Amino acid sequence: MNSRTELEQRTSTANLIDVSFVLPCLNEALTLETCIKKAKTAISNLGLRGEIVVADNGSNDGSQALAESLGARVVDVPIRGYGAALIWGINAALGTYVVMGDADDSYDFREAVAMVKQLEAGYDLVVGTRLNGTILPGAMPWKNRYLGTPVLTAVVNRLYQSKFSDVNCGMRAFSKRAFQRLQMESPGMEFASEMLVKAAMLGLKITEVPITLHPDGRDRPPHLRPWSDGWRHLKYILLFAPKVIYWVPGSFLLSFGLILAVMLNLSPGGEAVYVGTFRFNDHWIVVSALSCLLGYELLLTGLLAHLYTLTHRIQRRSPRMDWLVNVVSIEKILLFSLVMVGIGIGIELSVLRSWFAAEFGPLYAIRPAITGMVLILMGAQTLFSGLFYAVLCDRYRFTKH
Protein backbone atom coordinates (compact mmCIF):
# COMPACT_ATOMS: atom_id res chain seq x y z
CA MET A 1 0.00 0.00 0.00
CA ASN A 2 1.50 3.33 -1.02
CA SER A 3 1.75 6.32 1.31
CA ARG A 4 -0.98 8.23 -0.51
CA THR A 5 -3.47 5.40 0.01
CA GLU A 6 -2.50 5.19 3.71
CA LEU A 7 -3.01 8.94 4.11
CA GLU A 8 -6.42 8.75 2.41
CA GLN A 9 -7.48 5.88 4.71
CA ARG A 10 -6.25 7.76 7.78
CA THR A 11 -8.15 10.89 6.74
CA SER A 12 -11.27 8.85 6.11
CA THR A 13 -10.99 7.18 9.51
CA ALA A 14 -10.39 10.52 11.24
CA ASN A 15 -13.71 11.77 9.90
CA LEU A 16 -15.43 8.93 11.78
CA ILE A 17 -13.90 9.61 15.21
CA ASP A 18 -15.39 12.05 17.72
CA VAL A 19 -13.35 11.28 20.81
CA SER A 20 -10.01 9.58 21.47
CA PHE A 21 -8.95 8.17 24.83
CA VAL A 22 -5.15 8.29 25.08
CA LEU A 23 -3.43 6.13 27.70
CA PRO A 24 0.34 6.41 28.23
CA CYS A 25 1.66 2.94 29.00
CA LEU A 26 4.84 1.41 30.39
CA ASN A 27 4.33 -2.17 31.58
CA GLU A 28 0.69 -1.78 32.63
CA ALA A 29 -0.57 -5.26 31.62
CA LEU A 30 -2.10 -5.76 35.06
CA THR A 31 -4.50 -2.80 34.81
CA LEU A 32 -4.68 -2.02 31.11
CA GLU A 33 -7.68 -4.23 30.38
CA THR A 34 -9.74 -2.58 33.13
CA CYS A 35 -8.85 0.91 31.85
CA ILE A 36 -9.72 0.06 28.25
CA LYS A 37 -13.08 -1.44 29.26
CA LYS A 38 -13.96 1.68 31.29
CA ALA A 39 -12.96 3.90 28.36
CA LYS A 40 -15.22 1.86 26.06
CA THR A 41 -18.08 2.29 28.53
CA ALA A 42 -17.50 6.06 28.53
CA ILE A 43 -17.57 6.18 24.74
CA SER A 44 -20.82 4.18 24.74
CA ASN A 45 -22.38 6.45 27.36
CA LEU A 46 -21.43 9.51 25.37
CA GLY A 47 -23.04 8.11 22.24
CA LEU A 48 -20.02 9.24 20.21
CA ARG A 49 -17.73 7.54 17.74
CA GLY A 50 -14.55 6.84 19.64
CA GLU A 51 -11.21 5.13 19.74
CA ILE A 52 -8.70 4.12 22.39
CA VAL A 53 -5.02 4.88 21.79
CA VAL A 54 -2.37 3.23 23.92
CA ALA A 55 0.87 5.21 23.68
CA ASP A 56 3.41 2.56 24.59
CA ASN A 57 6.71 3.68 26.04
CA GLY A 58 8.64 0.43 25.55
CA SER A 59 6.67 -2.11 27.57
CA ASN A 60 8.11 -5.61 27.86
CA ASP A 61 5.21 -7.25 29.72
CA GLY A 62 2.90 -7.83 26.76
CA SER A 63 0.93 -4.60 27.17
CA GLN A 64 0.99 -3.94 23.41
CA ALA A 65 -0.52 -7.26 22.41
CA LEU A 66 -3.10 -7.06 25.19
CA ALA A 67 -4.19 -3.58 24.09
CA GLU A 68 -4.57 -4.65 20.46
CA SER A 69 -6.53 -7.75 21.47
CA LEU A 70 -8.99 -5.46 23.27
CA GLY A 71 -9.49 -3.27 20.21
CA ALA A 72 -7.17 -0.41 21.14
CA ARG A 73 -4.72 1.14 18.72
CA VAL A 74 -1.11 0.99 19.89
CA VAL A 75 1.31 3.82 19.12
CA ASP A 76 4.95 2.93 19.74
CA VAL A 77 6.75 5.87 21.37
CA PRO A 78 10.54 5.72 20.90
CA ILE A 79 11.28 8.40 23.53
CA ARG A 80 10.95 7.50 27.19
CA GLY A 81 8.87 9.73 29.46
CA TYR A 82 5.31 10.46 30.52
CA GLY A 83 5.11 13.62 28.44
CA ALA A 84 6.69 12.02 25.39
CA ALA A 85 4.17 9.18 25.46
CA LEU A 86 1.26 11.60 25.68
CA ILE A 87 2.57 13.91 22.95
CA TRP A 88 3.03 11.03 20.51
CA GLY A 89 -0.26 9.42 21.47
CA ILE A 90 -2.30 12.62 21.25
CA ASN A 91 -0.72 13.64 17.95
CA ALA A 92 -1.69 10.22 16.58
CA ALA A 93 -5.24 10.46 17.95
CA LEU A 94 -7.96 10.95 15.36
CA GLY A 95 -10.72 12.36 17.53
CA THR A 96 -12.04 15.89 17.62
CA TYR A 97 -11.85 15.57 21.42
CA VAL A 98 -9.14 13.83 23.42
CA VAL A 99 -9.26 12.37 26.93
CA MET A 100 -5.94 11.55 28.59
CA GLY A 101 -5.44 9.49 31.70
CA ASP A 102 -3.04 7.02 33.29
CA ALA A 103 -3.27 3.31 32.49
CA ASP A 104 -2.82 2.22 36.12
CA ASP A 105 -6.56 2.31 36.97
CA SER A 106 -6.13 5.26 39.34
CA TYR A 107 -8.66 7.19 37.22
CA ASP A 108 -12.07 5.89 36.25
CA PHE A 109 -12.51 6.79 32.59
CA ARG A 110 -16.26 6.55 32.95
CA GLU A 111 -16.04 9.89 34.77
CA ALA A 112 -14.71 11.41 31.55
CA VAL A 113 -18.27 11.58 30.23
CA ALA A 114 -18.88 14.81 32.15
CA MET A 115 -15.58 16.20 30.90
CA VAL A 116 -16.35 15.56 27.23
CA LYS A 117 -19.79 17.12 27.64
CA GLN A 118 -18.05 20.30 28.83
CA LEU A 119 -15.97 20.25 25.64
CA GLU A 120 -19.15 19.91 23.62
CA ALA A 121 -20.47 22.94 25.52
CA GLY A 122 -17.57 25.02 24.18
CA TYR A 123 -14.65 24.62 26.58
CA ASP A 124 -11.15 24.06 25.18
CA LEU A 125 -9.69 22.25 28.19
CA VAL A 126 -11.35 20.38 31.05
CA VAL A 127 -9.15 19.46 34.01
CA GLY A 128 -10.09 16.81 36.51
CA THR A 129 -9.79 17.88 40.13
CA ARG A 130 -9.09 15.28 42.78
CA LEU A 131 -8.80 17.81 45.59
CA ASN A 132 -12.35 19.04 44.97
CA GLY A 133 -13.49 15.51 44.22
CA THR A 134 -12.79 12.31 46.11
CA ILE A 135 -9.45 10.80 47.10
CA LEU A 136 -9.88 7.25 48.31
CA PRO A 137 -7.70 5.99 51.16
CA GLY A 138 -4.22 5.07 50.00
CA ALA A 139 -4.64 6.75 46.61
CA MET A 140 -2.33 9.75 47.18
CA PRO A 141 0.72 10.10 49.44
CA TRP A 142 0.37 12.76 52.13
CA LYS A 143 3.23 14.87 50.75
CA ASN A 144 1.50 15.06 47.36
CA ARG A 145 -1.92 15.81 48.83
CA TYR A 146 -0.99 18.37 51.47
CA LEU A 147 2.31 19.79 50.19
CA GLY A 148 3.29 19.25 46.56
CA THR A 149 -0.01 19.65 44.73
CA PRO A 150 -1.40 22.58 46.80
CA VAL A 151 1.90 24.48 46.57
CA LEU A 152 2.30 24.02 42.82
CA THR A 153 -1.37 24.89 42.30
CA ALA A 154 -1.00 28.10 44.32
CA VAL A 155 2.16 29.08 42.39
CA VAL A 156 0.49 28.55 39.00
CA ASN A 157 -2.60 30.49 40.03
CA ARG A 158 -0.51 33.33 41.44
CA LEU A 159 1.79 33.68 38.45
CA TYR A 160 -0.73 33.15 35.66
CA GLN A 161 -3.96 34.54 37.15
CA SER A 162 -5.66 31.16 36.80
CA LYS A 163 -8.13 29.40 39.08
CA PHE A 164 -7.04 25.76 39.10
CA SER A 165 -7.64 23.63 42.17
CA ASP A 166 -5.46 20.67 41.17
CA VAL A 167 -2.69 21.25 38.64
CA ASN A 168 -1.30 17.72 38.96
CA CYS A 169 -4.42 15.76 38.07
CA GLY A 170 -3.58 13.38 35.23
CA MET A 171 -7.06 13.00 33.75
CA ARG A 172 -7.93 15.80 31.38
CA ALA A 173 -10.00 16.36 28.27
CA PHE A 174 -9.42 18.87 25.51
CA SER A 175 -10.08 19.53 21.88
CA LYS A 176 -7.42 18.35 19.47
CA ARG A 177 -7.33 21.84 18.02
CA ALA A 178 -6.54 23.37 21.43
CA PHE A 179 -3.78 20.83 22.01
CA GLN A 180 -2.15 21.74 18.72
CA ARG A 181 -2.09 25.39 19.78
CA LEU A 182 -0.18 24.46 22.95
CA GLN A 183 2.80 23.03 21.02
CA MET A 184 3.73 20.75 23.90
CA GLU A 185 7.42 19.95 24.40
CA SER A 186 8.07 18.40 27.82
CA PRO A 187 8.98 14.69 27.67
CA GLY A 188 8.70 14.14 31.43
CA MET A 189 6.21 14.61 34.24
CA GLU A 190 6.36 18.41 33.89
CA PHE A 191 4.12 17.92 30.84
CA ALA A 192 1.18 18.41 33.22
CA SER A 193 2.35 21.87 34.29
CA GLU A 194 3.35 22.91 30.78
CA MET A 195 -0.15 22.22 29.51
CA LEU A 196 -1.86 24.37 32.14
CA VAL A 197 0.69 27.21 32.01
CA LYS A 198 0.42 27.50 28.24
CA ALA A 199 -3.36 27.15 28.30
CA ALA A 200 -3.60 29.99 30.82
CA MET A 201 -1.21 32.20 28.84
CA LEU A 202 -3.07 31.57 25.58
CA GLY A 203 -6.39 32.38 27.20
CA LEU A 204 -8.04 29.04 26.45
CA LYS A 205 -11.51 28.47 27.85
CA ILE A 206 -10.89 26.18 30.83
CA THR A 207 -13.07 24.50 33.44
CA GLU A 208 -12.74 21.72 36.02
CA VAL A 209 -14.73 18.59 36.82
CA PRO A 210 -14.47 16.80 40.20
CA ILE A 211 -13.28 13.20 39.85
CA THR A 212 -12.32 10.30 42.08
CA LEU A 213 -8.74 9.17 42.58
CA HIS A 214 -8.40 5.45 43.24
CA PRO A 215 -5.40 3.53 44.57
CA ASP A 216 -3.56 2.33 41.48
CA GLY A 217 -3.76 -1.34 40.60
CA ARG A 218 -0.05 -1.92 40.07
CA ASP A 219 1.93 -4.63 41.80
CA ARG A 220 5.06 -2.45 41.71
CA PRO A 221 6.05 1.07 42.79
CA PRO A 222 4.82 3.92 40.52
CA HIS A 223 7.11 5.65 38.05
CA LEU A 224 6.73 8.90 40.00
CA ARG A 225 9.68 10.48 41.83
CA PRO A 226 7.93 13.04 44.06
CA TRP A 227 10.80 15.39 44.91
CA SER A 228 12.62 15.45 41.57
CA ASP A 229 9.35 15.54 39.62
CA GLY A 230 8.09 18.33 41.87
CA TRP A 231 11.22 20.37 41.19
CA ARG A 232 10.84 19.82 37.44
CA HIS A 233 7.24 21.06 37.67
CA LEU A 234 8.26 24.15 39.64
CA LYS A 235 11.19 24.90 37.33
CA TYR A 236 8.97 24.78 34.27
CA ILE A 237 6.31 26.95 35.91
CA LEU A 238 8.89 29.63 36.73
CA LEU A 239 10.43 29.60 33.25
CA PHE A 240 7.32 31.27 31.85
CA ALA A 241 7.13 33.92 34.58
CA PRO A 242 9.74 36.61 33.76
CA LYS A 243 8.04 39.10 36.08
CA VAL A 244 8.94 37.04 39.14
CA ILE A 245 12.29 35.67 37.97
CA TYR A 246 13.71 38.73 36.22
CA TRP A 247 11.71 41.94 36.31
CA VAL A 248 10.87 42.33 39.99
CA PRO A 249 14.38 41.62 41.34
CA GLY A 250 15.96 43.41 38.38
CA SER A 251 13.92 46.57 38.92
CA PHE A 252 14.71 46.57 42.63
CA LEU A 253 18.45 46.09 42.15
CA LEU A 254 18.74 48.68 39.38
CA SER A 255 16.71 51.26 41.29
CA PHE A 256 18.73 50.73 44.47
CA GLY A 257 22.01 50.94 42.58
CA LEU A 258 21.07 54.12 40.72
CA ILE A 259 19.86 55.91 43.85
CA LEU A 260 23.03 54.94 45.71
CA ALA A 261 25.22 56.05 42.78
CA VAL A 262 23.53 59.46 42.59
CA MET A 263 23.89 59.97 46.35
CA LEU A 264 27.59 59.10 46.35
CA ASN A 265 28.44 61.08 43.24
CA LEU A 266 27.00 64.24 44.77
CA SER A 267 30.21 64.13 46.82
CA PRO A 268 32.73 62.84 44.27
CA GLY A 269 35.74 63.85 46.36
CA GLY A 270 35.26 61.06 48.87
CA GLU A 271 33.20 62.76 51.59
CA ALA A 272 30.88 60.49 53.53
CA VAL A 273 27.16 60.70 52.78
CA TYR A 274 24.70 60.32 55.62
CA VAL A 275 21.11 59.11 55.56
CA GLY A 276 19.97 59.72 59.09
CA THR A 277 22.77 58.26 61.14
CA PHE A 278 23.80 55.70 58.53
CA ARG A 279 27.11 56.50 56.86
CA PHE A 280 27.89 55.72 53.19
CA ASN A 281 31.56 55.90 52.20
CA ASP A 282 33.59 54.98 49.10
CA HIS A 283 33.06 51.25 49.51
CA TRP A 284 29.37 51.67 48.78
CA ILE A 285 30.08 52.66 45.19
CA VAL A 286 31.12 49.05 44.62
CA VAL A 287 27.76 47.90 45.99
CA SER A 288 26.07 50.40 43.71
CA ALA A 289 27.98 49.16 40.67
CA LEU A 290 27.18 45.53 41.38
CA SER A 291 23.51 46.31 41.97
CA CYS A 292 23.20 48.35 38.76
CA LEU A 293 24.95 45.81 36.57
CA LEU A 294 23.10 42.81 37.96
CA GLY A 295 19.72 44.55 37.93
CA TYR A 296 20.16 45.81 34.38
CA GLU A 297 21.24 42.37 33.18
CA LEU A 298 18.18 40.78 34.80
CA LEU A 299 15.86 43.25 33.07
CA LEU A 300 17.46 42.71 29.67
CA THR A 301 17.48 38.93 30.09
CA GLY A 302 13.87 38.98 31.24
CA LEU A 303 12.82 40.94 28.17
CA LEU A 304 14.64 38.58 25.83
CA ALA A 305 13.31 35.50 27.65
CA HIS A 306 9.75 36.81 27.43
CA LEU A 307 10.10 37.64 23.75
CA TYR A 308 11.63 34.22 23.08
CA THR A 309 8.75 32.55 24.92
CA LEU A 310 6.17 34.42 22.85
CA THR A 311 7.86 33.56 19.56
CA HIS A 312 9.15 30.03 20.14
CA ARG A 313 7.21 28.40 22.97
CA ILE A 314 3.58 29.49 22.78
CA GLN A 315 3.24 31.46 19.51
CA ARG A 316 1.29 34.33 21.01
CA ARG A 317 1.15 38.08 20.41
CA SER A 318 1.10 40.59 23.27
CA PRO A 319 -0.23 44.18 23.01
CA ARG A 320 2.65 45.49 25.12
CA MET A 321 5.20 43.59 23.09
CA ASP A 322 3.54 44.81 19.86
CA TRP A 323 4.13 48.35 21.08
CA LEU A 324 7.71 47.69 22.13
CA VAL A 325 8.64 45.99 18.86
CA ASN A 326 7.13 48.84 16.86
CA VAL A 327 8.80 51.60 18.91
CA VAL A 328 12.21 50.17 19.83
CA SER A 329 14.33 49.39 16.77
CA ILE A 330 17.90 48.14 16.57
CA GLU A 331 18.95 51.59 15.36
CA LYS A 332 17.54 53.23 18.50
CA ILE A 333 19.22 50.59 20.65
CA LEU A 334 22.53 51.25 18.93
CA LEU A 335 22.17 55.00 19.47
CA PHE A 336 21.24 54.52 23.14
CA SER A 337 24.22 52.20 23.64
CA LEU A 338 26.61 54.70 22.08
CA VAL A 339 25.22 57.53 24.22
CA MET A 340 25.60 55.46 27.38
CA VAL A 341 29.15 54.43 26.48
CA GLY A 342 29.97 58.00 25.51
CA ILE A 343 28.77 59.36 28.86
CA GLY A 344 30.82 56.70 30.64
CA ILE A 345 33.94 57.56 28.65
CA GLY A 346 33.31 61.25 29.31
CA ILE A 347 33.25 60.60 33.08
CA GLU A 348 36.47 58.59 32.85
CA LEU A 349 38.14 61.38 30.87
CA SER A 350 37.12 63.88 33.54
CA VAL A 351 38.84 61.68 36.11
CA LEU A 352 41.95 61.63 33.95
CA ARG A 353 41.88 65.42 33.62
CA SER A 354 41.69 65.75 37.39
CA TRP A 355 44.67 63.44 37.70
CA PHE A 356 46.62 65.45 35.16
CA ALA A 357 45.70 68.66 36.95
CA ALA A 358 47.02 67.15 40.18
CA GLU A 359 50.27 66.37 38.33
CA PHE A 360 49.69 62.63 38.78
CA GLY A 361 49.52 62.92 42.53
CA PRO A 362 47.00 61.35 44.95
CA LEU A 363 43.48 61.31 43.53
CA TYR A 364 40.19 60.70 45.36
CA ALA A 365 37.90 59.91 42.43
CA ILE A 366 36.90 56.30 42.97
CA ARG A 367 33.21 57.15 42.80
CA PRO A 368 33.13 58.77 39.35
CA ALA A 369 35.67 56.25 38.03
CA ILE A 370 33.47 53.28 38.94
CA THR A 371 30.32 55.10 37.79
CA GLY A 372 31.89 55.67 34.37
CA MET A 373 32.91 52.03 34.17
CA VAL A 374 29.34 50.94 35.00
CA LEU A 375 27.88 53.13 32.23
CA ILE A 376 30.34 51.71 29.69
CA LEU A 377 29.49 48.14 30.67
CA MET A 378 25.76 48.81 30.62
CA GLY A 379 26.12 50.33 27.17
CA ALA A 380 27.90 47.19 25.98
CA GLN A 381 25.20 45.02 27.57
CA THR A 382 22.53 47.01 25.75
CA LEU A 383 24.29 46.71 22.41
CA PHE A 384 24.84 42.96 22.44
CA SER A 385 21.44 42.19 23.96
CA GLY A 386 19.95 44.48 21.31
CA LEU A 387 21.38 42.33 18.52
CA PHE A 388 19.59 39.27 19.91
CA TYR A 389 16.47 41.38 20.46
CA ALA A 390 16.48 42.36 16.78
CA VAL A 391 16.61 38.69 15.72
CA LEU A 392 13.68 37.83 18.01
CA CYS A 393 11.70 40.84 16.77
CA ASP A 394 11.91 39.57 13.20
CA ARG A 395 10.48 36.25 14.37
CA TYR A 396 7.85 37.96 16.53
CA ARG A 397 6.43 39.95 13.61
CA PHE A 398 5.52 36.68 11.91
CA THR A 399 4.13 35.03 15.05
CA LYS A 400 0.56 33.75 14.81
CA HIS A 401 -2.16 35.98 16.21
Side-chain angles (χ1 to χ4, degrees), residues 6-7 9-11 13-15 17 19-23 50-56 72-78 83-99 174 176 179-180:
E6 291 176 353
L7 179 61
Q9 284 191 352
R10 185 176 175 86
T11 302
T13 304
N15 292 332
I17 302 298
V19 60
S20 300
F21 281 71
V22 177
L23 286 64
E51 66 167 352
I52 299 169
V53 177
V54 174
D56 189 76
R73 180 160 61 94
V74 176
V75 174
D76 293 318
V77 182
L86 282 169
I87 290 171
W88 281 66
I90 295 167
N91 284 334
L94 304 176
T96 302
Y97 305 124
V98 176
V99 176
F174 41 85
K176 182 72 176 289
F179 180 81
Q180 291 169 340

Side-chain angles (χ1 to χ4, degrees), residues 5-329:
T5 303
E6 291 176 353
L7 179 61
E8 289 173 348
Q9 284 191 352
R10 185 176 175 86
T11 302
S12 176
T13 304
N15 292 332
L16 301 176
I17 302 298
D18 296 312
V19 60
S20 300
F21 281 71
V22 177
L23 286 64
C25 177
L26 176 58
N27 295 326
E28 304 288 7
L30 191 63
T31 55
L32 191 57
E33 181 175 359
T34 300
C35 292
I36 290 175
K37 287 181 177 178
K38 289 179 179 178
K40 286 183 175 180
T41 300
I43 293 171
S44 176
N45 291 341
L46 284 165
L48 299 176
R49 298 163 296 185
E51 66 167 352
I52 299 169
V53 177
V54 174
D56 189 76
N57 221 186
S59 298
N60 55 19
D61 66 346
S63 292
Q64 303 96 323
L66 175 61
E68 290 177 340
S69 71
L70 294 168
R73 180 160 61 94
V74 176
V75 174
D76 293 318
V77 182
I79 302 173
R80 281 292 182 99
Y82 172 78
L86 282 169
I87 290 171
W88 281 66
I90 295 167
N91 284 334
L94 304 176
T96 302
Y97 305 124
V98 176
V99 176
M100 57 172 265
D102 298 344
D104 61 0
D105 200 27
S106 56
Y107 299 113
D108 186 339
F109 286 105
R110 292 171 295 189
E111 292 186 305
V113 171
M115 303 175 81
V116 176
K117 288 187 179 296
Q118 292 284 27
L119 296 177
E120 292 180 314
Y123 285 96
D124 299 308
L125 170 63
V126 183
V127 183
T129 170
R130 304 160 299 177
L131 299 186
N132 285 346
T134 303
I135 301 175
L136 297 181
M140 184 185 293
W142 69 267
K143 57 181 173 292
N144 295 45
R145 183 171 185 175
Y146 299 108
L147 181 61
T149 298
V151 169
L152 290 176
T153 299
V155 171
V156 171
N157 288 338
R158 177 70 175 177
L159 295 182
Y160 300 100
Q161 291 78 54
S162 53
K163 297 180 180 179
F164 299 112
S165 64
D166 183 0
V167 298
N168 286 339
C169 183
M171 190 160 83
R172 300 171 182 179
F174 41 85
S175 68
K176 182 72 176 289
R177 180 179 180 182
F179 180 81
Q180 291 169 340
R181 289 187 63 194
L182 297 178
Q183 301 184 63
M184 299 293 293
E185 303 169 318
S186 299
M189 297 302 297
E190 67 274 21
F191 173 96
S193 293
E194 179 190 0
M195 174 179 282
L196 300 191
V197 166
K198 287 185 173 181
M201 293 183 70
L202 287 170
L204 298 187
K205 191 176 181 182
I206 306 169
T207 190
E208 293 185 325
V209 168
I211 64 168
T212 301
L213 181 67
H214 301 258
D216 67 64
R218 297 186 179 107
D219 59 354
R220 55 171 173 76
H223 300 301
L224 295 172
R225 294 170 295 173
W227 296 109
S228 60
D229 287 338
W231 165 240
R232 291 169 70 180
H233 278 282
L234 181 59
K235 179 174 63 175
Y236 199 94
I237 291 167
L238 294 176
L239 284 176
F240 284 85
K243 180 179 179 181
V244 173
I245 300 298
Y246 301 106
W247 296 339
V248 170
S251 298
F252 173 79
L253 288 171
L254 182 59
S255 299
F256 174 75
L258 289 175
I259 292 171
L260 192 55
V262 170
M263 286 171 46
L264 292 170
N265 278 285
L266 290 176
S267 301
E271 299 87 352
V273 176
Y274 288 87
V275 175
T277 59
F278 197 89
R279 181 174 180 268
F280 293 90
N281 55 22
D282 282 338
H283 296 89
W284 283 92
I285 196 64
V286 178
V287 176
S288 169
L290 178 62
S291 184
C292 284
L293 291 172
L294 181 57
Y296 194 62
E297 180 63 26
L298 284 172
L299 290 175
L300 291 177
T301 303
L303 171 63
L304 296 176
H306 184 54
L307 188 53
Y308 182 87
T309 295
L310 293 178
T311 55
H312 290 75
R313 308 296 289 274
I314 60 172
Q315 296 286 300
R316 182 175 70 89
R317 299 294 290 265
S318 161
R320 292 181 181 178
M321 197 58 69
D322 285 343
W323 175 86
L324 185 70
V325 168
N326 289 330
V327 171
V328 181
S329 63

